[in-house]
mmCIF file of all heavy atoms in Angstrom:
data_model
loop_
_atom_site.group_PDB
_atom_site.id
_atom_site.type_symbol
_atom_site.label_atom_id
_atom_site.label_comp_id
_atom_site.label_asym_id
_atom_site.label_seq_id
_atom_site.Cartn_x
_atom_site.Cartn_y
_atom_site.Cartn_z
ATOM 1 N N GLY M 1 11.496 47.803 64.374
ATOM 2 C CA GLY M 1 10.223 47.205 64.013
ATOM 3 C C GLY M 1 10.239 45.701 64.185
ATOM 4 O O GLY M 1 11.249 45.058 63.897
ATOM 5 N N SER M 2 9.132 45.173 64.676
ATOM 6 C CA SER M 2 9.015 43.737 64.903
ATOM 7 C C SER M 2 7.811 43.180 64.168
ATOM 8 O O SER M 2 6.727 43.774 64.206
ATOM 9 C CB SER M 2 8.873 43.460 66.398
ATOM 10 O OG SER M 2 8.615 42.084 66.617
ATOM 11 N N SER M 3 7.999 42.031 63.548
ATOM 12 C CA SER M 3 6.891 41.350 62.871
ATOM 13 C C SER M 3 6.208 40.362 63.810
ATOM 14 O O SER M 3 5.270 39.679 63.407
ATOM 15 C CB SER M 3 7.415 40.630 61.632
ATOM 16 O OG SER M 3 8.441 39.721 61.989
ATOM 17 N N ARG M 4 6.643 40.299 65.058
ATOM 18 C CA ARG M 4 6.112 39.343 66.027
ATOM 19 C C ARG M 4 4.948 39.942 66.788
ATOM 20 O O ARG M 4 4.840 41.149 66.936
ATOM 21 C CB ARG M 4 7.215 38.910 66.986
ATOM 22 C CG ARG M 4 8.384 38.223 66.291
ATOM 23 C CD ARG M 4 9.541 38.009 67.249
ATOM 24 N NE ARG M 4 10.628 37.266 66.626
ATOM 25 C CZ ARG M 4 11.548 37.788 65.841
ATOM 26 N NH1 ARG M 4 11.511 39.079 65.592
ATOM 27 N NH2 ARG M 4 12.492 37.034 65.318
ATOM 28 N N ASN M 5 4.102 39.087 67.307
ATOM 29 C CA ASN M 5 2.932 39.537 68.045
ATOM 30 C C ASN M 5 2.943 39.145 69.512
ATOM 31 O O ASN M 5 2.021 39.509 70.242
ATOM 32 C CB ASN M 5 1.654 39.009 67.386
ATOM 33 C CG ASN M 5 1.377 39.692 66.066
ATOM 34 O OD1 ASN M 5 1.516 40.904 65.954
ATOM 35 N ND2 ASN M 5 0.988 38.921 65.074
ATOM 36 N N ASN M 6 3.964 38.427 69.965
ATOM 37 C CA ASN M 6 4.061 38.098 71.396
ATOM 38 C C ASN M 6 4.667 39.287 72.111
ATOM 39 O O ASN M 6 5.814 39.286 72.525
ATOM 40 C CB ASN M 6 4.881 36.827 71.599
ATOM 41 C CG ASN M 6 6.222 36.870 70.926
ATOM 42 O OD1 ASN M 6 6.428 37.613 69.955
ATOM 43 N ND2 ASN M 6 7.173 36.091 71.429
ATOM 44 N N TYR M 7 3.861 40.338 72.230
ATOM 45 C CA TYR M 7 4.372 41.628 72.648
ATOM 46 C C TYR M 7 4.840 41.680 74.091
ATOM 47 O O TYR M 7 5.347 42.703 74.546
ATOM 48 C CB TYR M 7 3.335 42.725 72.389
ATOM 49 C CG TYR M 7 2.065 42.608 73.195
ATOM 50 C CD1 TYR M 7 1.927 43.280 74.399
ATOM 51 C CD2 TYR M 7 1.008 41.828 72.747
ATOM 52 C CE1 TYR M 7 0.766 43.184 75.139
ATOM 53 C CE2 TYR M 7 -0.147 41.727 73.480
ATOM 54 C CZ TYR M 7 -0.265 42.402 74.682
ATOM 55 O OH TYR M 7 -1.423 42.284 75.412
ATOM 56 N N GLY M 8 4.714 40.579 74.806
ATOM 57 C CA GLY M 8 5.311 40.508 76.137
ATOM 58 C C GLY M 8 6.820 40.640 76.107
ATOM 59 O O GLY M 8 7.440 40.965 77.126
ATOM 60 N N LEU M 9 7.423 40.441 74.952
ATOM 61 C CA LEU M 9 8.873 40.545 74.809
ATOM 62 C C LEU M 9 9.294 41.869 74.179
ATOM 63 O O LEU M 9 10.429 42.000 73.723
ATOM 64 C CB LEU M 9 9.379 39.377 73.945
ATOM 65 C CG LEU M 9 9.098 37.974 74.493
ATOM 66 C CD1 LEU M 9 9.573 36.911 73.515
ATOM 67 C CD2 LEU M 9 9.764 37.785 75.847
ATOM 68 N N ARG M 10 8.405 42.826 74.162
ATOM 69 C CA ARG M 10 8.630 44.064 73.421
ATOM 70 C C ARG M 10 9.805 44.891 73.922
ATOM 71 O O ARG M 10 10.288 45.760 73.209
ATOM 72 C CB ARG M 10 7.371 44.933 73.455
ATOM 73 C CG ARG M 10 6.966 45.364 74.850
ATOM 74 C CD ARG M 10 5.567 45.950 74.853
ATOM 75 N NE ARG M 10 5.140 46.339 76.171
ATOM 76 C CZ ARG M 10 4.576 45.505 77.034
ATOM 77 N NH1 ARG M 10 4.378 44.240 76.713
ATOM 78 N NH2 ARG M 10 4.195 45.933 78.232
ATOM 79 N N SER M 11 10.289 44.670 75.119
ATOM 80 C CA SER M 11 11.436 45.431 75.626
ATOM 81 C C SER M 11 12.765 44.765 75.299
ATOM 82 O O SER M 11 13.824 45.282 75.666
ATOM 83 C CB SER M 11 11.312 45.645 77.130
ATOM 84 O OG SER M 11 11.376 44.407 77.799
ATOM 85 N N SER M 12 12.700 43.636 74.615
ATOM 86 C CA SER M 12 13.911 42.881 74.287
ATOM 87 C C SER M 12 14.429 43.256 72.906
ATOM 88 O O SER M 12 13.680 43.327 71.938
ATOM 89 C CB SER M 12 13.602 41.387 74.323
ATOM 90 O OG SER M 12 14.691 40.652 73.812
ATOM 91 N N LEU M 13 15.728 43.487 72.812
ATOM 92 C CA LEU M 13 16.356 43.793 71.524
ATOM 93 C C LEU M 13 16.049 42.718 70.483
ATOM 94 O O LEU M 13 15.788 43.027 69.314
ATOM 95 C CB LEU M 13 17.868 43.918 71.690
ATOM 96 C CG LEU M 13 18.415 45.119 72.435
ATOM 97 C CD1 LEU M 13 19.889 44.892 72.757
ATOM 98 C CD2 LEU M 13 18.236 46.389 71.645
ATOM 99 N N ASN M 14 16.083 41.485 70.903
ATOM 100 C CA ASN M 14 15.960 40.365 69.967
ATOM 101 C C ASN M 14 14.549 40.197 69.405
ATOM 102 O O ASN M 14 14.352 39.423 68.467
ATOM 103 C CB ASN M 14 16.388 39.071 70.651
ATOM 104 C CG ASN M 14 17.863 39.069 70.989
ATOM 105 O OD1 ASN M 14 18.663 39.705 70.320
ATOM 106 N ND2 ASN M 14 18.223 38.351 72.038
ATOM 107 N N TRP M 15 13.592 40.922 69.966
ATOM 108 C CA TRP M 15 12.228 40.826 69.460
ATOM 109 C C TRP M 15 12.057 41.569 68.146
ATOM 110 O O TRP M 15 11.102 41.361 67.420
ATOM 111 C CB TRP M 15 11.268 41.398 70.509
ATOM 112 C CG TRP M 15 9.816 41.081 70.293
ATOM 113 C CD1 TRP M 15 9.235 39.835 70.274
ATOM 114 C CD2 TRP M 15 8.766 42.024 70.100
ATOM 115 N NE1 TRP M 15 7.873 39.971 70.078
ATOM 116 C CE2 TRP M 15 7.556 41.285 69.983
ATOM 117 C CE3 TRP M 15 8.707 43.415 70.031
ATOM 118 C CZ2 TRP M 15 6.316 41.909 69.797
ATOM 119 C CZ3 TRP M 15 7.469 44.032 69.841
ATOM 120 C CH2 TRP M 15 6.291 43.283 69.715
ATOM 121 N N TYR M 16 12.993 42.453 67.847
ATOM 122 C CA TYR M 16 12.883 43.346 66.701
ATOM 123 C C TYR M 16 13.707 42.834 65.521
ATOM 124 O O TYR M 16 14.823 42.348 65.682
ATOM 125 C CB TYR M 16 13.316 44.757 67.103
ATOM 126 C CG TYR M 16 12.388 45.346 68.136
ATOM 127 C CD1 TYR M 16 12.601 45.123 69.494
ATOM 128 C CD2 TYR M 16 11.268 46.076 67.753
ATOM 129 C CE1 TYR M 16 11.726 45.630 70.445
ATOM 130 C CE2 TYR M 16 10.393 46.604 68.694
ATOM 131 C CZ TYR M 16 10.624 46.372 70.041
ATOM 132 O OH TYR M 16 9.751 46.871 70.977
ATOM 133 N N ASP M 17 13.111 42.970 64.338
ATOM 134 C CA ASP M 17 13.744 42.473 63.118
ATOM 135 C C ASP M 17 14.452 43.566 62.332
ATOM 136 O O ASP M 17 15.398 43.294 61.590
ATOM 137 C CB ASP M 17 12.670 41.874 62.185
ATOM 138 C CG ASP M 17 11.808 40.846 62.881
ATOM 139 O OD1 ASP M 17 12.361 39.797 63.256
ATOM 140 O OD2 ASP M 17 10.596 41.089 63.045
ATOM 141 N N TYR M 18 13.961 44.790 62.448
ATOM 142 C CA TYR M 18 14.451 45.881 61.614
ATOM 143 C C TYR M 18 14.847 47.062 62.489
ATOM 144 O O TYR M 18 14.164 47.387 63.458
ATOM 145 C CB TYR M 18 13.362 46.319 60.624
ATOM 146 C CG TYR M 18 12.851 45.180 59.787
ATOM 147 C CD1 TYR M 18 11.641 44.566 60.092
ATOM 148 C CD2 TYR M 18 13.592 44.686 58.729
ATOM 149 C CE1 TYR M 18 11.170 43.496 59.338
ATOM 150 C CE2 TYR M 18 13.134 43.622 57.964
ATOM 151 C CZ TYR M 18 11.925 43.033 58.285
ATOM 152 O OH TYR M 18 11.477 41.975 57.547
ATOM 153 N N TRP M 19 15.926 47.712 62.108
ATOM 154 C CA TRP M 19 16.476 48.825 62.877
ATOM 155 C C TRP M 19 16.824 49.979 61.952
ATOM 156 O O TRP M 19 17.280 49.779 60.830
ATOM 157 C CB TRP M 19 17.736 48.399 63.620
ATOM 158 C CG TRP M 19 17.462 47.419 64.704
ATOM 159 C CD1 TRP M 19 17.340 46.059 64.582
ATOM 160 C CD2 TRP M 19 17.252 47.711 66.092
ATOM 161 N NE1 TRP M 19 17.066 45.492 65.809
ATOM 162 C CE2 TRP M 19 17.001 46.489 66.753
ATOM 163 C CE3 TRP M 19 17.245 48.892 66.832
ATOM 164 C CZ2 TRP M 19 16.763 46.410 68.119
ATOM 165 C CZ3 TRP M 19 17.003 48.828 68.192
ATOM 166 C CH2 TRP M 19 16.766 47.591 68.826
ATOM 167 N N GLY M 20 16.621 51.184 62.453
ATOM 168 C CA GLY M 20 17.115 52.361 61.764
ATOM 169 C C GLY M 20 18.572 52.614 62.119
ATOM 170 O O GLY M 20 19.171 51.883 62.913
ATOM 171 N N GLN M 21 19.126 53.678 61.538
ATOM 172 C CA GLN M 21 20.530 54.017 61.763
ATOM 173 C C GLN M 21 20.751 54.847 63.021
ATOM 174 O O GLN M 21 21.891 55.000 63.464
ATOM 175 C CB GLN M 21 21.077 54.762 60.548
ATOM 176 C CG GLN M 21 21.152 53.901 59.291
ATOM 177 C CD GLN M 21 22.019 52.678 59.510
ATOM 178 O OE1 GLN M 21 23.162 52.791 59.895
ATOM 179 N NE2 GLN M 21 21.456 51.499 59.260
ATOM 180 N N GLY M 22 19.685 55.373 63.572
ATOM 181 C CA GLY M 22 19.801 56.131 64.808
ATOM 182 C C GLY M 22 19.884 57.631 64.585
ATOM 183 O O GLY M 22 20.294 58.104 63.522
ATOM 184 N N THR M 23 19.476 58.360 65.606
ATOM 185 C CA THR M 23 19.585 59.815 65.607
ATOM 186 C C THR M 23 20.151 60.254 66.950
ATOM 187 O O THR M 23 19.738 59.747 67.997
ATOM 188 C CB THR M 23 18.222 60.472 65.306
ATOM 189 O OG1 THR M 23 18.388 61.890 65.185
ATOM 190 C CG2 THR M 23 17.180 60.177 66.379
ATOM 191 N N GLN M 24 21.108 61.174 66.925
ATOM 192 C CA GLN M 24 21.811 61.582 68.141
ATOM 193 C C GLN M 24 20.993 62.617 68.911
ATOM 194 O O GLN M 24 20.526 63.608 68.335
ATOM 195 C CB GLN M 24 23.174 62.180 67.795
ATOM 196 C CG GLN M 24 23.933 62.720 68.988
ATOM 197 C CD GLN M 24 24.467 61.626 69.894
ATOM 198 O OE1 GLN M 24 25.167 60.720 69.434
ATOM 199 N NE2 GLN M 24 24.141 61.692 71.176
ATOM 200 N N VAL M 25 20.848 62.388 70.197
ATOM 201 C CA VAL M 25 20.252 63.352 71.115
ATOM 202 C C VAL M 25 21.291 63.720 72.155
ATOM 203 O O VAL M 25 21.886 62.835 72.780
ATOM 204 C CB VAL M 25 18.992 62.775 71.793
ATOM 205 C CG1 VAL M 25 18.501 63.697 72.900
ATOM 206 C CG2 VAL M 25 17.898 62.541 70.760
#
């Protein structure tokens, strides 16, 4: 999840502030 609105960077890891623990596929 990202609190930022410059969504041109949406594919960048650093744009996101919060992360889940992940689910295995």
Side-chain angles (χ1 to χ4, degrees):
S2 174
S3 57
R4 299 171 176 82
N5 289 317
N6 53 336
Y7 65 94
L9 300 177
R10 62 193 179 274
S11 65
S12 171
L13 290 167
N14 294 331
W15 194 62
Y16 295 88
D17 307 294
Y18 305 101
W19 292 84
Q21 293 302 305
T23 186
Q24 176 72 54
V25 171

